[in-house]
Amino acid sequence: MLIVKKFGGTSVADKERIFNVAKRCAEDFKKGNDVIVVLSAMGKSTDELIAKAHEINPDPPKRELDMLLTTGEQVSVALMAMAFDVMDVPSVSLNAFQVSMHTTRVHGNARLKRIDTDRIMHELEHRRIVIVTGFQGVNKYDNYTTLGRGGSDTTAVALAAVLHADACEIYTDVDGIYTADPRYVPKARKLEEITYDEMLDLATLGAGVLHNRSVEMAKKYGVQLVVRSSLNDHEGTIVKEETNVERMLISGVALDKNTARISVIGLEDQPGIAFKLFHLLARDNINVDVILQSIGRDNTKDISFTVSRDDADLAIKILESHMSRIGGKHISCNKEVAKVSIVGAGMMSNPGVAAKMFEALYNQNININMISTSEIRVTVLIHERDAERAVNAVHDAFELEE
Ligand code: ADP
Ligand code: ASP
Ligand code: MG
């Protein structure tokens, strides 16, 4: 069997954890399996590197930031190889350059395009565990890129896909995927299984347990995932196309605090305004999420939308510098907001799901700022201070606990 095993930051945070991972991987290897280990940077080191960059330069060039961030994963893989050496298990660490993980150009949020498999295959044939840096790639100018926060999951799934691995295991600091983030919702329940589509929505809406692109890629290439803890042997959660368990009305609640609401007031009520506005943001790779258009005074309209909080300042700068083109009167930004979403394929055939969510929020006297829906999700924007109360209330309303 060829097994891809990915370990997140907390799972390799210190010496004990590194040896714990090495031991788990060595067990599989000694059974005769080929083993590829994908690692994230140790503990919070990516955050620390970002903070260091900002100490030097509040707006660091994106190429150089990626150059810095990729060192985090390189530390982990080298130390892991040293641990295997102590255990007399043959291994080799490889970074994105050595493997050749080709990505798109964009720094900070690159997409994997192609992975060369020769070097990895060569090492596996020589019976070595191959330890690969997660989160990083190389673009066509031979510059390091990164895949976006949490991107090591995507590295693991991509490797599993190109190498036709028999298993792709994502090890983290929780026992699996829960009905809500167990950090905020003590009553959250672990799911046995979840579909790609549901997980993709949950991940995109803030459930950081998996990088959303990793789920997208797993679905595209049919890579079945197991998400489980690196600290115990509990069975995790399987992510796959169809689940056997009886369909619940909703499968989970997601909370995203990394969001900001931008409102452009007094736009002309004419065709093409929304296009111009969102085109400007798309040009700079700014993702826009919930959008609300409303009628203003004197033949004008207002457009409000959410972006990730990290993109908010840039979005405002861009819009302000083009105000004459889009014709708005005023821009405002609110960073004290949070998005709460419910996701579940079961809601497609059940009217009243949204109403039930709104009722739960009303009972807590929580005001809703914006609403957006799709076939399998409902998202509301609320004040950040209400966020945890809201997820717990919604979780209770749908009786998702054990
Ligand atoms: P890693 O470093 O292993 O990649 P992450 O911090 O990226 O770990 O992801 C694991 C965290 O995701 C958990 O500690 C948990 O707080 C959070 N999380 C958010 N939503 C969920 C969910 N629905 N189920 C499980 N964990 C979740
Ligand atoms: N180290 C990176 C991050 O913190 C990638 C990852 O953990 O998946 O975002
Ligand atoms: Mg992660």
Side-chain angles (χ1 to χ4, degrees):
M1 285 228 307
L2 170 59
I3 308 174
V4 175
K5 298 167 94 73
K6 178 260 168 179
F7 294 86
T10 30
S11 302
V12 293
D14 55 33
K15 178 181 155 189
E16 280 71 37
R17 298 270 170 97
I18 287 177
F19 274 105
N20 166 58
V21 168
K23 229 184 282 152
R24 291 187 85 124
C25 297
E27 276 168 23
D28 282 333
F29 181 74
K30 285 179 182 161
K31 285 183 199 151
N33 299 301
D34 288 327
V35 178
I36 295 173
V37 186
V38 175
L39 298 182
S40 295
M42 292 169 73
K44 299 238 166 294
S45 62
T46 306
D47 292 332
E48 286 157 16
L49 289 170
I50 292 173
K52 267 203 183 99
H54 286 100
E55 267 174 35
I56 299 285
N57 182 338
D59 187 17
K62 289 192 163 160
R63 178 196 181 275
E64 304 308 334
L65 188 60
D66 276 354
M67 188 74 179
L68 182 69
L69 294 190
T70 49
T71 63
E73 271 64 19
Q74 200 153 320
V75 169
S76 302
V77 295
L79 292 176
M80 189 61 66
M82 294 176 197
F84 282 124
D85 184 61
V86 171
M87 294 161 57
D88 274 334
V89 174
S91 77
V92 59
S93 66
L94 298 175
N95 67 14
F97 234 107
Q98 292 166 315
V99 173
S100 280
M101 299 245 187
H102 304 273
T103 71
T104 52
R105 261 183 311 174
V106 53
H107 286 287
N109 200 15
R111 278 178 178 266
L112 282 166
K113 288 203 313 198
R114 187 165 51 83
I115 298 177
D116 295 347
T117 54
D118 296 0
R119 177 73 191 267
I120 292 181
M121 290 311 291
H122 173 85
E123 301 294 350
L124 291 176
E125 276 155 21
H126 285 76
R127 279 302 284 154
R128 291 182 193 117
I129 292 182
V130 182
I131 314 158
V132 181
T133 47
F135 179 55
Q136 56 179 252
V138 181
N139 68 17
K140 68 175 175 187
Y141 305 114
D142 277 355
N143 287 322
Y144 275 115
T145 53
T146 56
L147 309 181
R149 296 306 306 271
S152 298
D153 300 327
T154 302
T155 309
V157 174
L159 283 169
V162 291
L163 296 163
H164 305 288
D166 300 286
C168 184
E169 303 165 352
I170 309 288
Y171 289 86
T172 181
D173 56 1
V174 279
D175 284 358
I177 296 160
Y178 283 69
T179 48
D181 188 336
R183 245 184 319 178
Y184 300 122
V185 182
K187 285 195 242 167
R189 174 173 52 87
K190 193 181 83 183
L191 299 165
E192 257 172 63
E193 301 178 336
I194 187 166
T195 64
Y196 292 127
D197 287 333
E198 289 170 318
M199 190 58 226
L200 182 57
D201 267 351
L202 280 178
T204 306
L205 295 164
V209 61
L210 282 178
H211 191 223
N212 64 348
R213 295 245 188 87
S214 73
V215 186
E216 200 174 77
M217 194 173 289
K219 178 180 163 72
K220 185 166 171 194
Y221 296 99
V223 178
Q224 188 167 306
L225 306 178
V226 183
V227 178
R228 54 189 300 197
S229 169
S230 64
L231 301 168
N232 60 46
D233 283 322
H234 300 172
E235 265 174 44
T237 304
I238 297 171
V239 190
K240 58 185 192 174
E241 187 64 46
E242 289 284 337
T243 59
N244 305 322
V245 283
E246 198 189 334
R247 210 174 264 319
M248 302 278 292
L249 194 53
I250 71 164
S251 53
V253 187
L255 168 63
D256 188 356
K257 291 187 180 180
N258 180 18
T259 187
R261 172 189 165 138
I262 296 178
S263 300
V264 190
I265 312 291
L267 292 157
E268 273 180 63
D269 195 10
Q270 269 185 11
I273 296 292
F275 161 67
K276 279 184 200 157
L277 197 158
F278 292 118
H279 176 68
L280 285 170
L281 299 176
R283 246 185 9 194
D284 273 272
N285 279 307
I286 296 177
N287 261 329
V288 172
D289 192 17
V290 185
I291 300 175
L292 185 78
Q293 176 172 308
S294 52
I295 298 173
R297 285 187 210 161
D298 308 327
N299 259 339
T300 65
K301 61 185 171 190
D302 305 337
I303 295 183
S304 298
F305 54 91
T306 60
V307 294
S308 90
R309 219 171 273 179
D310 323 318
D311 283 340
D313 293 342
L314 178 62
I316 288 178
K317 205 166 107 189
I318 293 169
L319 293 178
E320 275 176 348
S321 65
H322 288 86
M323 271 306 245
S324 56
R325 249 190 85 205
I326 49 176
K329 292 201 176 68
H330 172 66
I331 299 179
S332 69
C333 176
N334 183 352
K335 292 185 183 173
E336 288 175 356
V337 290
K339 256 181 338 195
V340 174
S341 309
I342 53 173
V343 171
M347 74 173 73
M348 235 183 304
S349 47
N350 275 285
V353 173
K356 192 169 178 170
M357 179 184 191
F358 303 154
E359 184 187 14
L361 297 171
Y362 166 59
N363 287 339
Q364 291 287 322
N365 202 21
I366 293 171
N367 192 38
I368 301 172
N369 256 302
M370 287 165 100
I371 300 171
S372 112
T373 63
S374 83
E375 270 189 321
I376 67 161
R377 74 171 172 94
V378 182
T379 298
V380 297
L381 194 77
I382 57 172
H383 197 288
E384 190 181 16
R385 66 163 179 255
D386 297 329
E388 285 166 40
R389 221 153 37 88
V391 263
N392 279 288
V394 172
H395 194 269
D396 279 350
F398 287 94
E399 294 172 9
L400 293 172
E401 75 270 25
E402 311 262 11

